[in-house]
Amino acid sequence: MLLVICIAVCIAVELQKGDHIFVKAVDNYINWIYGAADDVYTTFSGELLFPETTVDSSVKAAFCVSLTYNLTFNGDHVVYDKIITNVGNGYDANTGVFTVSVPGLYMIHYHALAQLGKRMWLDLYQNDKYINTAFGEAPSTYADHGNSAILELHAGDKVWVSGRPGDTVILYGDASDNQLYATFTAFFLSPALHVISTTVGNDRKVPAFSVGLTHDIDNTQTGLTTHNVIFDRVWTNQGGVFNMATGEFRAIVHGVYVFHYHAISATDTEVLIELYHNDEYIDSLYGHHTNGWAGGSNSATLRLSVDDTVYLHMNTNSTTSLENQMRCIPHFQDTSCHQLQTEAVYFRLTVCIRERLIKDCFS
């Protein structure tokens, strides 16, 4: 069976019955992890993707790769050399490119750590279309960040991670010391045009959305009507489940849902974002670094009922500033802008519900 595991990073691993997955503190290293009942930052989630006995092998597609050495490059593809999982053999270790053979919705994650005092600036691409960015820079320490997306991909589409053109990117990796931070993962969610038939005879698309933020937000600015994070760019909104006006996801079927969210602060400011299910606090992301940009990520797997809502909230007891260095803010179909390759989308919220769980909801 194939399982996706999310901590600060997400990986897809193939497991056998009785296998164990756990989070371990590094030996001979002092770890201090913060946690409180209303400040949950440290999380560990896992989800079954492909049961070996129940899923047609023709729709299995997933990979997870990592970088085992320090890499300095400028604008090139990241060629991840360690293959952890490559179901369907879609990832090419010679080019760093994933080529789609099974069309449909895919969940994509990538993460990295910069070398000491250096910059990490990565972009995700679908064919030649820019999707989003992971950025980190923190003087005198190590900066890390990641991002994710849900994309509708067609057979033959190519997806890869590259360095920002014109900027020297220096990534950290050391397989000899079990320090693998740069990862790239993608897995098949559902057929692109798949619909589910409810017991009342209505057809609905599999609920999934992926949205981004293309401008800065400061929660101390005047005129804000809500402290929900209001996104302004949509990559996927299958089933119309995400409300762009309120920043809320609303469940249209009961089932188990997976949420991922990422953010980066402006330099020298904090970012503190909280995930809510209805009015119940779930967990948080936080980032702050003096003289640098700080990013954060988190995720949650939630059991939702019809009409339950999930949203991101900017904590009002701290100054939260979200930064997006946008040179151009078009729709992807807008060909009037010629700077699309230079834009950066750092803040993204994605959600998906597994197809087989939807089927169970209506059985």
Side-chain angles (χ1 to χ4, degrees):
M1 64 179 178
L2 197 68
L3 186 75
V4 61
I5 305 293
C6 294
I7 317 168
V9 300
C10 284
I11 62 171
V13 291
E14 193 162 3
L15 303 178
Q16 304 298 321
K17 185 176 181 179
D19 285 357
H20 297 274
I21 296 287
F22 56 93
V23 179
K24 179 181 181 295
V26 176
D27 294 334
N28 302 316
Y29 189 87
I30 298 174
N31 287 281
W32 195 94
I33 300 175
Y34 176 83
D38 58 350
D39 285 305
V40 180
Y41 301 98
T42 305
T43 60
F44 181 34
S45 302
E47 183 199 7
L48 178 65
L49 293 177
F50 307 135
E52 292 294 339
T53 58
T54 59
V55 176
D56 184 351
S57 60
S58 65
V59 297
K60 290 182 181 179
F63 74 90
C64 177
V65 293
S66 63
L67 191 67
T68 65
Y69 58 93
N70 295 336
L71 178 65
T72 301
F73 62 109
N74 188 323
D76 301 319
H77 292 186
V78 181
V79 181
Y80 302 87
D81 60 312
K82 180 179 176 63
I83 295 179
I84 300 170
T85 305
N86 197 12
V87 177
N89 296 314
Y91 177 77
D92 187 339
N94 295 313
T95 63
V97 174
F98 169 63
T99 302
V100 177
S101 60
V102 181
L105 287 179
Y106 282 77
M107 184 81 227
I108 300 167
H109 302 276
Y110 63 107
H111 303 264
L113 178 74
Q115 291 188 40
L116 180 64
K118 303 301 181 180
R119 175 182 290 184
M120 182 271 293
W121 199 346
L122 302 177
D123 295 325
L124 177 66
Y125 276 85
Q126 174 190 352
N127 299 322
D128 291 323
K129 181 174 70 175
Y130 164 83
I131 302 299
N132 64 14
T133 296
F135 177 86
E137 183 178 26
S140 303
T141 189
Y142 299 87
D144 71 303
H145 199 229
N147 220 327
S148 60
I150 293 177
L151 300 176
E152 183 174 334
L153 302 179
H154 304 282
D157 279 359
K158 298 182 183 299
V159 179
W160 68 86
V161 176
S162 65
R164 177 58 58 101
D167 197 272
T168 299
V169 176
I170 306 177
L171 302 183
Y172 184 87
D174 185 357
S176 65
D177 198 25
N178 290 334
Q179 296 192 61
L180 304 181
Y181 301 98
T183 60
F184 181 27
T185 299
F187 50 87
F188 177 82
L189 291 175
S190 70
L193 299 178
H194 181 74
V195 297
I196 53 175
S197 297
T198 70
T199 55
V200 294
N202 295 323
D203 286 336
R204 298 172 180 170
K205 290 185 176 181
V206 173
F209 77 91
S210 188
V211 293
L213 184 68
T214 67
H215 60 87
D216 297 352
I217 295 180
D218 184 345
N219 73 336
T220 64
Q221 68 191 66
T222 59
L224 288 179
T225 59
T226 178
H227 283 280
N228 288 0
V229 180
I230 306 300
F231 296 88
D232 61 349
R233 173 168 290 183
V234 181
W235 281 268
T236 304
N237 194 13
Q238 194 159 273
V241 291
F242 188 80
N243 187 324
M244 297 295 289
T246 64
E248 292 183 343
F249 164 82
R250 185 175 297 274
I252 60 174
V253 296
H254 63 271
V256 177
Y257 292 74
V258 182
F259 295 84
H260 306 271
Y261 59 108
H262 311 263
I264 192 170
S265 71
T267 184
D268 298 332
T269 60
E270 293 180 310
V271 55
L272 176 54
I273 304 296
E274 299 169 335
L275 179 70
Y276 275 82
H277 169 205
N278 296 329
D279 293 323
E280 178 185 0
Y281 165 80
I282 302 299
D283 60 25
S284 307
L285 68 76
Y286 176 81
H288 176 256
H289 192 279
T290 303
N291 300 321
W293 290 263
S297 303
N298 218 328
S299 61
T301 301
L302 304 175
R303 184 177 294 277
L304 304 183
S305 299
V306 174
D307 288 333
D308 278 5
T309 59
V310 177
Y311 56 92
L312 294 180
H313 181 264
M314 294 182 289
N315 191 295
T316 56
N317 295 321
S318 66
T319 301
T320 293
S321 179
L322 307 177
E323 175 157 301
N324 281 279
Q325 300 177 5
M326 298 296 297
R327 278 77 165 186
C328 175
I329 313 173
H331 298 295
F332 285 133
Q333 295 80 8
D334 186 351
T335 58
S336 62
C337 175
H338 302 290
Q339 294 177 298
L340 184 58
Q341 70 278 8
T342 68
E343 68 183 8
V345 178
Y346 298 113
F347 197 175
R348 174 179 288 274
L349 172 65
T350 59
V351 64
C352 62
I353 180 171
R354 296 297 301 148
E355 174 194 0
R356 63 181 180 281
L357 295 176
I358 295 176
K359 291 179 178 179
D360 293 342
C361 291
F362 299 102
S363 60

